[in-house]
Amino acid sequence: MLRRRLTSLLSAPIRNAHNQFQKPTSILSSRMSHKTPLLQLVRCMRDSSNPSSNGYFSYQSTRAFSSLLALNDLRDNKGARKQKTRKGRGIGSGKGKTAGRGHKGQKARGTMKFGFEGGQTPLRRRLPKRGFKNPFSLTFQPVGLGKIAKLINAGKIDSSELITMKTLKDAGAIGKQIRDGVRLMGRGSEHIQWPIHLEVSRVTVRAKAAVEAAGGSVRRVYYNKLGFRALLKPEWFEKKGRLLPKAARPPPKQKDKVDSIGRLPAPTKPVPLRPEEKEPMSA
């Protein structure tokens, strides 16, 4: 549309100028009498379009202006858009009549379920089974006592308060790969020289002995999937306008592997030890 308007607006004055001055064509023909390269042709048009050159005005200057890229000239790159195959449009298209399905048979008339091989034993039944996936398996992210001691010395963890799994996550001791909980390992236990209190999912014998030798305590707590999310990201429930869930009891198979039920929201003080837990520490 813009291109048509420009040509219509410039056509009238160009036509008048062309009728008034008839020498530009002779000038161009005299300059282009012999074969000139493209650069000389551009210079010739530039000189002829200049009003100061002999007082003439040529219409060749408007061609360059009207040949600018317009909206109706925009095109995609070759191969950017591929037309879909039109079936049943004649023999010459290559997809006419049977439309590439061939003659007769189940595949020509309809479809079948995925993996169907015409009646023979399909591949998924020919191959034997290998192994299984345990739906009750738990994945704990390990963290060593040496890393905790390093974060305490750096001031990222307050050793006077209870160290929970949320504390370890906020301090950077564990990453985003945490799934079912944290396992406390005994790596770097020689750096623990002051009492600390921790609540984790699992703990090794070496780590527990090192913490209790320094005057601290380690408690194994249980959180289900929803409770573990509420422990690590309580702001998610506030954003959704939901209340924090209640602490869930451990299943029967995990009762002997935990000491207590996890508390929500994240606690800051350790739970006092029961009398049967104090006896092993005093011994």
Side-chain angles (χ1 to χ4, degrees):
M1 184 63 70
L2 180 61
R3 183 175 180 179
R4 294 178 180 176
R5 289 185 179 179
L6 288 175
T7 54
S8 62
L9 291 175
L10 295 175
S11 60
I14 292 172
R15 192 181 303 110
N16 296 334
H18 181 68
N19 296 333
Q20 185 177 359
F21 306 103
Q22 297 181 358
K23 292 184 179 181
T25 55
S26 61
I27 294 176
L28 285 174
S29 59
S30 61
R31 294 184 181 180
M32 298 175 59
S33 57
H34 58 283
K35 296 182 179 180
T36 58
L38 181 60
L39 181 60
Q40 295 180 3
L41 177 61
V42 174
R43 291 179 180 176
C44 179
M45 293 175 63
R46 187 185 304 170
D47 297 339
S48 61
S49 62
N50 190 2
S52 62
S53 59
N54 300 328
Y56 300 124
F57 181 80
S58 176
Y59 67 93
Q60 273 79 4
S61 62
T62 61
R63 289 185 179 180
F65 184 81
S66 62
S67 64
L68 294 176
L69 183 64
L71 292 177
N72 58 340
D73 294 334
L74 294 177
R75 298 289 185 273
D76 285 326
N77 296 331
K78 187 176 181 181
R81 302 185 66 179
K82 183 179 178 181
Q83 295 181 353
K84 70 174 185 177
T85 303
R86 301 175 73 239
K87 297 181 179 180
R89 298 300 187 274
I91 301 175
S93 65
K95 294 293 181 181
K97 191 182 175 183
T98 56
R101 284 176 171 249
H103 291 279
K104 301 183 181 179
Q106 187 178 13
K107 293 185 178 179
R109 295 189 176 98
T111 58
M112 64 285 295
K113 64 179 182 180
F114 179 76
F116 183 70
E117 300 181 9
Q120 70 178 10
T121 306
L123 181 64
R124 66 176 183 275
R125 293 178 58 189
R126 293 199 302 266
L127 298 179
K129 295 181 180 180
R130 289 289 184 270
F132 74 103
K133 183 178 180 181
N134 186 6
F136 303 104
S137 63
L138 300 175
T139 304
F140 301 106
Q141 186 169 355
V143 59
L145 289 174
K147 181 180 290 187
I148 296 176
K150 185 177 180 180
L151 293 173
I152 292 175
N153 293 330
K156 296 183 179 181
I157 295 178
D158 188 4
S159 60
S160 61
E161 295 184 355
L162 177 65
I163 301 175
T164 61
M165 289 180 281
K166 177 175 174 55
T167 307
L168 297 176
K169 183 178 181 299
D170 296 340
I174 54 179
K176 297 181 180 180
Q177 298 81 7
I178 181 172
R179 293 183 57 184
D180 299 315
V182 176
R183 184 188 300 275
L184 185 64
M185 310 295 289
R187 294 192 298 264
S189 58
E190 63 276 2
H191 300 288
I192 300 297
Q193 301 177 358
W194 54 88
I196 57 175
H197 303 278
L198 301 99
E199 282 190 0
V200 291
S201 301
R202 298 290 187 271
V203 59
T204 62
V205 177
R206 178 186 173 188
K208 186 175 182 180
V211 172
E212 292 177 351
S217 63
V218 180
R219 180 178 291 273
R220 300 173 299 175
V221 293
Y222 171 79
Y223 289 98
N224 59 354
K225 293 284 186 180
L226 187 62
F228 197 56
R229 174 186 283 187
L231 175 70
L232 299 180
K233 296 181 179 180
E235 63 277 2
W236 184 86
F237 291 86
E238 296 178 2
K239 183 179 178 180
K240 297 291 184 178
R242 298 169 57 180
L243 298 175
L244 291 178
K246 294 183 178 180
R249 295 180 180 180
K253 291 185 178 181
Q254 296 189 30
K255 282 186 177 181
D256 57 340
K257 298 180 180 179
V258 296
D259 298 326
S260 62
I261 301 173
R263 295 175 289 170
L264 292 173
T268 57
K269 295 182 179 180
V271 178
L273 298 176
R274 297 190 298 268
E276 57 270 15
E277 295 179 351
K278 292 182 180 181
E279 294 177 359
M281 294 183 61
S282 59

